[in-house]
């Protein structure tokens, strides 16, 4: 499904209502979510002076409780009003959710210290759309952007490529990640694979070019 179609798929009320139950039902799913939280928080700890965080494409707010528990002032933005409505019922999320397209965030330059984007960018198969999303994140973030991409240097991805699996998806290497971020006004700081064996994802920490935050 192309991104232009997929970006509206979550605007279905039933999909939004069932989202959390389908994503966090099993112990393995909950462990993966806890792992994602830990990786994001570890990268944010490298950002000196970060106090405010915007979760872009926040969905039902899966990351917000952990970010707030870590002491960050956190808000979320998502295109789907239906997902946001479901998120407001999630404990620890509350009302600070904004309906907005990540390609055109209604926020001033440097509005927050950091932007996080989890389990979204690897769905965006349109290069121009990815560039617009990353450029907007760079624009509103004073200090850092933390995002998740599909990473090619993992056993899981290589195995799918060797088997010519129908589930093989385009993936970046480090140079590709750095180049994509650079075009959006971001400099790659850290690239952290989720797992070299059991996942084909990686998280990145990038700095806006105009950021003076220390590493």
């Amino acid at each position: 499904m192309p991104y232009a179609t997929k970006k509206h798929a979550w605007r279905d009320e039933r999909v939004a209502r069932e989202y959390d139950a389908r994503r966090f039902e099993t112990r393995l799913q909950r462990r993966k979510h806890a792992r994602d939280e830990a990786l994001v928080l570890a990268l944010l700890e490298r950002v000196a002076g970060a106090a405010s965080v915007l979760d872009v494409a926040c969905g039902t707010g899966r990351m917000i409780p952990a970010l707030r528990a870590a002491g960050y002032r956190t808000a979320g933005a998502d295109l789907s009003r239906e997902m946001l409505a479901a998120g407001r019922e999630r404990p620890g999320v509350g009302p600070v959710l904004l309906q907005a397209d990540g390609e055109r965030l209604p926020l001033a330059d440097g509005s927050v210290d950091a932007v996080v984007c989890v389990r979204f960018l690897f769905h965006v198969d349109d290069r121009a759309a990815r560039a617009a999303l990353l450029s907007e994140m760079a624009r509103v973030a004073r200090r850092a952007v933390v995002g998740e991409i599909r990473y090619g240097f993992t056993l899981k991805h290589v195995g799918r490529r060797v088997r010519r699996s129908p589930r093989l998806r385009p993936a970046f290497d480090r140079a590709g990640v750095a180049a994509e971020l650079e075009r959006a006004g971001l400099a790659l700081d850290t690239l952290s694979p989720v797992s070299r064996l059991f996942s084909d994802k990686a998280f990145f920490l990038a700095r806006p070019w105009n950021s003076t935050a220390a590493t």
Side-chain angles (χ1 to χ4, degrees), residues 4-23:
T5 301
K6 186 181 294 185
K7 69 183 294 185
H8 297 289
W10 290 282
R11 304 182 78 170
D12 182 284
E13 287 188 5
R14 189 184 70 175
V15 171
R17 189 171 58 250
E18 297 176 353
Y19 182 85
D20 281 1
R22 292 171 64 90
R23 297 304 190 280

Side-chain angles (χ1 to χ4, degrees), residues 194-205:
V194 170
S195 168
R196 294 281 187 179
L197 298 178
F198 304 114
S199 175
D200 60 352
K201 313 297 193 306
F203 284 92
F204 65 79
L205 169 64

Side-chain angles (χ1 to χ4, degrees), residues 36-81:
D36 289 349
E37 289 177 332
L39 287 167
V40 169
L41 292 174
L43 290 173
L44 285 175
E45 286 178 2
R46 296 174 57 89
V47 184
S52 58
V53 176
L54 176 68
D55 183 359
V56 172
C58 68
T60 61
R62 60 187 292 160
M63 294 298 300
I64 291 176
L67 290 165
R68 287 185 176 160
Y72 296 104
R73 298 192 306 274
T74 309
D78 199 278
L79 179 63
S80 170
R81 180 182 293 125

